[in-house]
Amino acid sequence: MTTGADSTRKGRRATAVDWEQFRALLVASVRLDLRSTRMQRGRAAKFPPVAAAFATYLVMGTLLALAVMSTEDIFVFSLFTLSAAMFMTALLVIMEYSSVVVHPDDFDILGHRPISSKTYYWAKIANLGLYVAATAFALSIPAAIVAGVRYPPGAALTAVYLLVALAACQATSALVVLIYSVAIRVFNYEKFTRAITYVHTLSTLVIVFGYVLLPRVLAKDVMLISVERGAWVYAMAPAWFAGAVELAAGEAGRQTLVLAGAAVASAAALIWAAMNTISLDYSRRISALATASAKAVEEAGRRRSLGRLGLPLCRTDEERAGFELMRSYMTRDRKLRARIYPAFGLPLAVYIYGIITDGLHDPFVPQAVSGGFPAHQLLGFYSVFITLFFATAIAQTDQWEASWVFFAAPVRSRAGIVTGARKLIIWRYLLPFFVFLFILLAFAMPPAKAAMYVLLNLLLALTAFALLSMTSPHMPLSQSLEKAKQARQIGLIMLLGMSMAALTAILELMKQVPQAGLVVYPALVVLALGAELLLRRRLDRRLAGEEFPG
Amino acid sequence: MEDGARERATDAAIVFENLARSFGEIEAVKDVTLTIPRGQICGYLGPNGAGKTTTVKMATGMLEPTAGRAIVEGFDIVQEPLEAKRVIGVVPETGALYTTLTPNEYLALVGRLYHIDRDETEAKAHTFLELFGIEDAADRLMTTFSRGMKQKVLISAALLPNPSVLFLDEPLSGLDANTALVLKELLRDLASQGRTIFYCSHILEVVEKVCDRVVILVRGEVIADGRVEELKDMTHQGSLEDVFSELTSSEDLAQIVRAFSRSVTGDGERSA
């Protein structure tokens, strides 16, 4: 007979953390992080994506620290560098949630073992904490060194800055975990994966507005590395942590003390809340999240059959096969969509902000250069941002083992299959996005100018899509998902996007020489077609010798 | 634990009471009631989609029943999941493993999850891998392993905690003939020591040779339950394969084969 005391004891056991299991799970997770699942010549690749991602972050952190080190104000320096670190951390956890927090494989491997949900959850959170700490370190160590060299009291500030950056990034990741935990509780299994797709996109929007744009908005000048410190700093999480750095630098004003206090309190509260937001049946829910019911999938297939209208774009059977395969996956694989949709968040946030603040001007008129919105400077950046998400996502899935069929089937051209998949992306995502952008911009500038601007971006996007696809020349859905793979790619996007600023020269040329468009547009068409041709040749060469990765 | 379950635990290792599971409108498992005594090897058969894996998932705590309950060694898998999971070993159909670990690392992880002494884990892991003939690969990442090698690691992991009940879902998948033979003998030996084995498979010859009892599931319902000889007598068939066909197939197999053959060669289309 079960007694009350028995029930209580069992309840305690079920909700307690088994520290031996915790250590074992954490060690295994760290090992998995540090190893690549990719195969190179029959052996596991030695250089894991985690290492590459950290190297990318280190470069980003260095560039950022150097870019803002001219400011005399340690608060402003910290605000910008910490904003960037927090933004990247949030993006990383959002984009890679399926590998850094929820891992569907875990359930199949661990679900039948005697592990309490709390032990499992804490091990995953601890693993995430280590991962975020390493990322925050790579992003922030250059800024910490600059802070120690540039601002008083010197070397001690390096250590304090680093600690504050780690706390800020941990608090950010804890916030994302909390959002997910709440979503798991609020939505049922079917709705959760669908909701998460939109949460991803919305979070990107919120993060962009909150952490990147707002300080610049308040400064009224995007290029000015200074901010007017008003009451808004209390609403800005990065400003709280910048206040903590400022306090360590010797500034002990009332506002600084309040900000530093808010930083400590928010970090402690968020980390505590994330650690204690335990769903006791968390691991069971994870398994349910990995699958959608057959009925829901069928409905999704019926709802979204418009993608087939693009099928005539495909010229060969291989292209049609790739197109249909990608169409099915994009329709039915919510995880794939959840990885891709956030790409639209950043550009939409920027353009919507431009319209709301009436700062979006005709980019073809010279006087618009001095306007408050950087559309003319950001030409190409978002095209690259979006297309790289697609270029990498086409190759990746957790069902990559099914790709053996490409290697077994006697197809005439493997490159044709990739081309078909890419045509689906262009037809179903890139073209509608740019049409939507045109409608959006038509509110802010004459439709003809909006069309010219969008066409320019579209041509650049198509060129970028072809060029970036060369960096991931694999069969569609043939590569396994790896932790940090996407984070590294986001880092690369940021770096590559910065270099795309050179493309503003095109706009400048068109402003100065009204007829330049007659040359620029055909040249860009040739560029896009040339990039496509180059890609096709590379794919032909590369894929002819590619072996099944399993 | 309730008195009834505790009493049953004295002689029954596995008890399913009106176990059922639905996925939306689909009833994958309907009202399955079974009592499997300690030391028995119970074959659980059925056509694709009959509900075998769903039953195993419910019995091992990986899926919550929509009705009924599963009791393993006296522990209700939903009410006392940790206690129940401590006494079971599972070879899942999915073959899921952390392939970027080595077999030694994976078995060490499993050992620590069951609080097995490190030396004991190492000794057992060494023995299992040696018996399965993959000791040379003990420190190699499993990303390079064949399906059969991975299956050997999965079986080793299931046996490592010395479970009193084993749930095996297609355990011979990918194994070579010699290893399959070893495993069959091993199962008999374990059963003779009082271990209970719940064995899901499509390989009827193996089930016929290894299992003391066979349960046949069709569309989520148990349609036959008994010793192999009893089922043969009941259906007047000479082999388990024929029994299975008699009980589960509503169509003429020869006709199906002919239709398939015509479809593969295209004869049907041409003649049409």
Side-chain angles (χ1 to χ4, degrees), chain B:
Chain B
M1 195 188 337
E2 291 176 13
D3 288 346
R6 185 73 79 192
E7 279 163 22
R8 278 192 296 276
T10 54
D11 56 352
I14 304 170
V15 178
F16 296 155
E17 287 180 354
N18 308 106
L19 199 62
R21 173 72 204 198
S22 302
F23 296 98
E25 291 168 4
I26 301 165
E27 289 181 87
V29 175
K30 300 175 204 168
D31 204 26
V32 170
T33 297
L34 287 176
T35 300
I36 302 170
R38 190 163 289 113
Q40 190 174 74
I41 305 179
C42 178
Y44 200 58
L45 309 181
N48 293 334
K52 302 186 296 296
T53 298
T54 302
T55 309
V56 171
K57 282 186 173 176
M58 285 192 284
T60 56
M62 296 183 73
L63 198 61
E64 204 165 318
T66 38
R69 55 187 197 148
I71 297 158
V72 182
E73 291 289 14
F75 301 111
D76 185 313
I77 192 72
V78 174
Q79 300 297 323
E80 303 157 293
L82 297 186
E83 287 79 1
K85 288 175 181 181
R86 270 189 203 109
V87 297
I88 64 175
V90 181
V91 175
E93 185 201 28
T94 56
L97 279 169
Y98 293 125
T99 54
T100 43
L101 295 183
T102 68
N104 273 342
E105 287 169 348
Y106 183 71
L107 294 174
L109 167 67
V110 172
R112 292 190 70 186
L113 294 179
Y114 289 84
H115 302 283
I116 302 170
D117 176 71
R118 193 183 296 255
D119 292 338
E120 187 186 341
T121 301
E122 278 178 16
K124 276 189 169 182
H126 178 75
T127 308
F128 290 151
L129 298 180
E130 193 174 31
L131 289 172
F132 278 131
I134 55 169
E135 71 275 22
D136 291 345
D139 292 312
R140 251 172 52 198
L141 298 189
M142 291 187 280
T143 40
T144 58
F145 279 21
S146 67
R147 176 73 203 268
M149 290 167 82
K150 287 178 189 167
Q151 193 70 5
K152 290 172 181 177
V153 177
L154 279 171
I155 295 168
S156 301
L159 296 173
L160 189 75
N162 191 18
S164 55
V165 177
L166 272 168
F167 288 91
L168 310 177
D169 199 349
E170 295 294 352
L172 301 186
S173 180
L175 294 183
D176 56 72
N178 286 337
T179 310
L181 208 60
V182 168
L183 187 65
K184 282 184 271 182
E185 289 307 314
L186 175 66
L187 295 182
R188 282 188 182 287
D189 194 48
L190 290 172
S192 71
Q193 293 170 32
R195 264 71 164 186
T196 310
I197 295 157
F198 191 80
Y199 190 103
C200 289
S201 181
H202 288 109
I203 308 174
L204 301 180
E205 297 92 327
V206 177
V207 173
E208 187 167 3
K209 282 180 188 160
V210 170
C211 297
D212 305 312
R213 171 187 176 187
V214 171
V215 175
I216 298 178
L217 197 70
V218 174
R219 287 187 283 277
E221 284 179 290
V222 174
I223 59 156
D225 179 1
R227 306 184 79 82
V228 174
E229 293 309 319
E230 288 170 1
L231 295 182
K232 282 181 189 170
D233 291 344
M234 187 179 84
T235 55
H236 309 293
Q237 298 291 340
S239 69
L240 183 60
E241 198 172 60
D242 294 332
V243 171
F244 186 80
S245 174
E246 170 79 18
L247 292 173
T248 63
S249 179
S250 56
E251 295 174 73
D252 180 357
L253 291 184
Q255 200 177 337
I256 293 172
V257 169
R258 279 195 296 278
F260 252 116
S261 182
R262 277 200 302 275
S263 177
V264 170
T265 58
D267 284 351
E269 287 169 25
R270 276 196 291 274
S271 59

